Amino acid sequence: NRLHAVVSLIDYSNRNSVRIRIRGLTGSDYTSDMAVDNVNVYNAVLQIGTGFLPTGTVNVAYASTLLADNATPPCNWSIESGSLQAGLNFSTNGVISGTPTQSGTNQITFAVQDSSGAHTNKVLSLVVQPAVLDHFDWNPIFSPQCTGAAFRVTITAKDAAEKPLSSFIGKVVLAAASASGQIVSNILGS
């Protein structure tokens, strides 16, 4: 059985001892002085801990949260330069969300400022891939249609969310194959 707690260094003014606070998840506190040989205190520098952004896809919902390391909450996030792809939004709490409608790779400089006034920034790439073809839809083809006779058809390529990727509207001619598999006539678009 594991216990979870937050350990905080609350006093290190004496180089031969430290005072720590252990706060359990139930809210109970335990404070203790500990003797140590030597205490070296390093001031942690505010950094953007996010190393990369997940790849998005056009017409697919996207969400990613940027992380600030060594920050004094609350943090205020912004975009210093660059922009998100169309359909995406960025909130002051570091969340990128939305449904991208544009593919491409954007270089974006994200910035964060914490409540102590510390500020930093980092350039991250956001890659949004084109929508993925999932299936084709076509208008009903009414009988009879004969080999070699042109008729009008609409064929639409769609992604998994039923959003159209491209369409073909035009006339086609049916092809027929002989028993040996030889094509008697070709399908032609116009």
Side-chain angles (χ1 to χ4, degrees), residues 35-114:
V36 293
D37 291 333
N38 195 6
V39 176
N40 291 316
V41 178
Y42 300 97
N43 289 328
V45 177
L46 176 64
Q47 297 178 20
I48 294 177
T50 304
F52 66 92
L53 295 172
T55 299
T57 303
V58 169
N59 296 334
V60 176
Y62 182 91
S64 182
T65 302
L66 300 180
L67 301 174
D69 293 338
N70 307 317
T72 304
C75 291
N76 187 33
W77 290 86
S78 62
I79 293 177
E80 285 188 344
S81 67
S83 62
L84 299 171
Q85 285 84 342
L88 293 175
N89 301 301
F90 186 63
S91 69
T92 57
N93 62 355
V95 176
I96 303 169
S97 62
T99 302
T101 58
Q102 171 191 0
S103 64
T105 301
N106 292 13
Q107 299 291 320
I108 306 160
T109 303
F110 293 96
V112 63
Q113 182 172 344
D114 70 7

Side-chain angles (χ1 to χ4, degrees), residues 133-143 145 151-158 162 164 166-170 172 174:
L133 173 64
D134 184 69
H135 64 280
F136 292 97
D137 280 348
W138 56 87
N139 64 317
I141 301 171
F142 299 103
S143 296
Q145 300 297 333
F151 62 96
R152 188 166 177 77
V153 66
T154 301
I155 302 171
T156 305
K158 291 188 174 182
E162 291 293 321
S166 66
S167 293
F168 167 80
I169 301 171
V172 295
L174 292 179

